[in-house]
C-alpha cells in the first residue's frame, strides 16, 4: 500500500531526498545535516554495505530501488515516492545541507519566483575547498517543485528537464568528493569514463557547438554546457584541461590539493579518450568481414 500524505501543515517546509549506494562512510553525517527538515527520504540503490543499517537508526524513511541510471533513478523517485511537501531538495550522500542554505530555501519557497533553483557546490578535497580549479560557482539544480521537474540521462550523470523558469540561490553546499579515498574516486571515474565516452561519440556525431551560449549564455549552467560541448572537439584534451584548470582558472593557487585535483581531472579526460578510441576501434573490427580462415 502506498503512502498518501495530507496537505502539508507546513507550506514553507522542504522535503529532502538523499540518494545513496554503498555510502556507509558518508550517510550518517549527510542525514544529520538534513534533519533540519521534518521529511527526509533516503533512496538507496540496493547497497551491499551498511548504508541502510546506519540510515535506519535515524527518523527518516529508507526506500530501496534498483538503479538503472542517474536520470531514471531521480525521475522514479520524484514520481513514485510520496512526500509531505511540494518543494524538495536533492542531496547526494557526500554532500551536506547547511543551516544557512536550508533557511534560504524556506524563505525562497514562501513566494517563489521560479519552479526550481540552482545551488553552487563547494568541492572539498584533501581537507580544503578547491575554489578556483573547480570553476566555482558551479551550479546544480537542487531545490524545486517536484511536479515541475524530471531528469534525463547525459553521459555518466543526468540533466534536468524543467517545466518553467529557474533561478539561483546565494548560499552554497559542501561536496566531499573524495571522502571515501582516492581508490574509490578512481573506481567511480573508471565507470563514469565509459558513459562519458559513449556520450562523446554521440555528441561528435550529432551535436554542434553553440557559440552564442558559450559567450552569451543566460547563466553559468548554459555557458558551462556549451564549453563542455566545445571541449569534446579539442585536440590534446587532457593537456588542455590541465592547463585551463591549473593556470587559467588559478588552480595553482589552490596548493597541493589544487595540483592533485587538476591532475586527476586530466587523467579522467585521457581515460575517456582511450575508451572512445577503444569503442571506435571495436566497431571497425566488428564491421570488418572475416575471411574463412579467421572465422
Amino acid at each position: 500500500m502506498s503512502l498518501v500524505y495530507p496537505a502539508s501543515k507546513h507550506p514553507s517546509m522542504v522535503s529532502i531526498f538523499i540518494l545513496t549506494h554503498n555510502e556507509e562512510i558518508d550517510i550518517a553525517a549527510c542525514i544529520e545535516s538534513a534533519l533540519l527538515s521534518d521529511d527526509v527520504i533516503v533512496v538507496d540503490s540496493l547497497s551491499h554495505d551498511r548504508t541502510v543499517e546506519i540510515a535506519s537508526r535515524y527518523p527518516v524513511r529508507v526506500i530501496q530501488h534498483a538503479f538503472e541510471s542517474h536520470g531514471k533513478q531521480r525521475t522514479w523517485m520524484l514520481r513514485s515516492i510520496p512526500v509531505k511537501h511540494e518543494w524538495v531538495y536533492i542531496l547526494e550522500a557526500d554532500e551536506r545541507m547547511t543551516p544557512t542554505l536550508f533557511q534560504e530555501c524556506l524563505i525562497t519557497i514562501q513566494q517563489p519566483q521560479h519552479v526550481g533553483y540552482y545551488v553552487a557546490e563547494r568541492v572539498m578535497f584533501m581537507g580544503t575547498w578547491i575554489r578556483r580549479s573547480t570553476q566555482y560557482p558551479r551550479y546544480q539544480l537542487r531545490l524545486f517543485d517536484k511536479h515541475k521537474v524530471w531528469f534525463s540521462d547525459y553521459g555518466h550523470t543526468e540533466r534536468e528537464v524543467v517545466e518553467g523558469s529557474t533561478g539561483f540561490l546565494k548560499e552554497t553546499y559542501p561536496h566531499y568528493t573524495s571522502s571515501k579515498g582516492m581508490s574509490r574516486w578512481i573506481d567511480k571515474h573508471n565507470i563514469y569514463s565509459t558513459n562519458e565516452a559513449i556520450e562523446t561519440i554521440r555528441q561528435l556525431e550529432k551535436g554542434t557547438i553553440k557559440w552564442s551560449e558559450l559567450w552569451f549564455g543566460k547563466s553559468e549552467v548554459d555557458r558551462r554546457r556549451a564549453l563542455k560541448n566545445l571541449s569534446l572537439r579539442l585536440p590534446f584534451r587532457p593537456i588542455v584541461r590541465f592547463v585551463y584548470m591549473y593556470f587559467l582558472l588559478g588552480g595553482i593557487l589552490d596548493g597541493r590539493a589544487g595540483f592533485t585535483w587538476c591532475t586527476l581531472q586530466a587523467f579522467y579526460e585521457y581515460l575517456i579518450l582511450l575508451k572512445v578510441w577503444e569503442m571506435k576501434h571495436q566497431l571497425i573490427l566488428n564491421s570488418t568481414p572475416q575471411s574463412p580462415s579467421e572465422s
Side-chain angles (χ1 to χ4, degrees):
M1 180 181 296
S2 61
L3 295 174
V4 178
Y5 284 101
S8 174
K9 296 180 180 179
H10 304 281
S12 60
M13 184 58 78
V14 175
S15 294
I16 296 180
F17 284 112
I18 300 176
L19 292 153
T20 64
H21 178 67
N22 294 338
E23 305 288 356
E24 63 181 10
I25 294 176
D26 280 310
I27 188 58
C30 183
I31 289 177
E32 288 170 9
S33 76
L35 288 177
L36 295 163
S37 169
D38 66 347
D39 188 33
V40 178
I41 309 99
V42 175
V43 182
D44 181 72
S45 302
L46 305 184
S47 293
H48 49 75
D49 65 355
R50 297 174 58 244
T51 298
V52 172
E53 174 193 338
I54 296 171
S56 299
R57 299 173 186 171
Y58 292 90
V60 303
R61 283 183 283 154
V62 181
I63 298 173
Q64 292 190 290
H65 182 258
F67 182 87
E68 295 182 69
S69 67
H70 290 280
K72 290 180 180 178
Q73 188 77 338
R74 284 162 172 74
T75 299
W76 174 87
M77 172 183 77
L78 295 171
R79 298 294 179 259
S80 303
I81 301 177
V83 292
K84 290 184 179 180
H85 311 293
E86 298 297 308
W87 283 81
V88 300
Y89 189 100
I90 292 182
L91 271 176
E92 301 280 358
D94 56 1
E95 300 170 354
R96 304 289 181 267
M97 174 59 74
T98 69
T100 53
L101 172 57
F102 189 72
Q103 186 62 31
E104 184 180 7
C105 290
L106 298 185
I107 294 172
T108 298
I109 65 172
Q110 288 182 15
Q111 294 182 320
Q113 303 298 311
H114 307 280
V115 300
Y117 291 86
Y118 289 91
V119 187
E121 65 175 348
R122 287 181 282 118
V123 175
M124 310 302 292
F125 181 71
M126 294 179 68
T128 188
W129 174 20
I130 307 296
R131 177 169 183 166
R132 298 166 183 85
S133 51
T134 53
Q135 295 176 284
Y136 178 84
R138 186 181 176 90
Y139 290 95
Q140 305 290 340
L141 189 73
R142 285 291 186 258
L143 176 69
F144 52 86
D145 181 334
K146 72 179 295 286
H147 301 293
K148 301 294 184 180
V149 174
W150 59 281
F151 290 87
S152 62
D153 294 315
Y154 184 88
H156 78 272
T157 183
E158 75 286 336
R159 278 196 175 173
E160 63 277 1
V161 181
V162 185
E163 298 176 359
S165 63
T166 56
F168 295 83
L169 299 186
K170 294 180 180 180
E171 292 296 331
T172 62
Y173 65 90
H175 179 192
Y176 296 90
T177 183
S178 62
S179 58
K180 303 174 190 67
M182 292 295 181
S183 59
R184 176 69 181 273
W185 188 97
I186 293 172
D187 289 343
K188 287 175 64 176
H189 283 75
N190 181 41
I191 298 172
Y192 292 165
S193 62
T194 299
N195 296 327
E196 285 287 350
I198 295 172
E199 187 62 36
T200 295
I201 294 173
R202 183 182 298 118
Q203 289 295 319
L204 291 177
E205 291 177 346
K206 300 180 179 180
T208 58
I209 302 174
K210 299 181 180 180
W211 294 101
S212 59
E213 291 189 6
L214 179 63
W215 301 109
F216 307 108
K218 294 181 179 179
S219 70
E220 181 275 340
V221 176
D222 294 331
R223 294 189 293 272
R224 172 160 51 88
R225 288 177 177 175
L227 179 62
K228 169 78 172 181
N229 201 13
L230 171 63
S231 72
L232 298 178
R233 294 162 171 77
L234 294 176
F236 309 108
R237 272 171 52 192
I239 297 175
V240 170
R241 183 163 188 179
F242 180 85
V243 171
Y244 173 70
M245 295 176 65
Y246 194 63
F247 294 105
L248 296 184
L249 291 182
I252 191 173
L253 301 176
D254 288 324
R256 179 183 179 184
F259 176 78
T260 305
W261 179 261
C262 294
T263 301
L264 285 174
Q265 297 303 316
F267 166 74
Y268 178 49
E269 287 290 345
Y270 187 55
L271 197 57
I272 295 172
L273 288 181
L274 287 176
K275 292 190 176 183
V276 167
W277 177 87
E278 183 179 56
M279 290 175 184
K280 289 184 175 181
H281 186 66
Q282 191 63 43
L283 285 174
I284 293 174
L285 290 178
N286 292 339
S287 62
T288 303
Q290 292 183 322
S291 65
S293 60
E294 295 174 323
S295 59

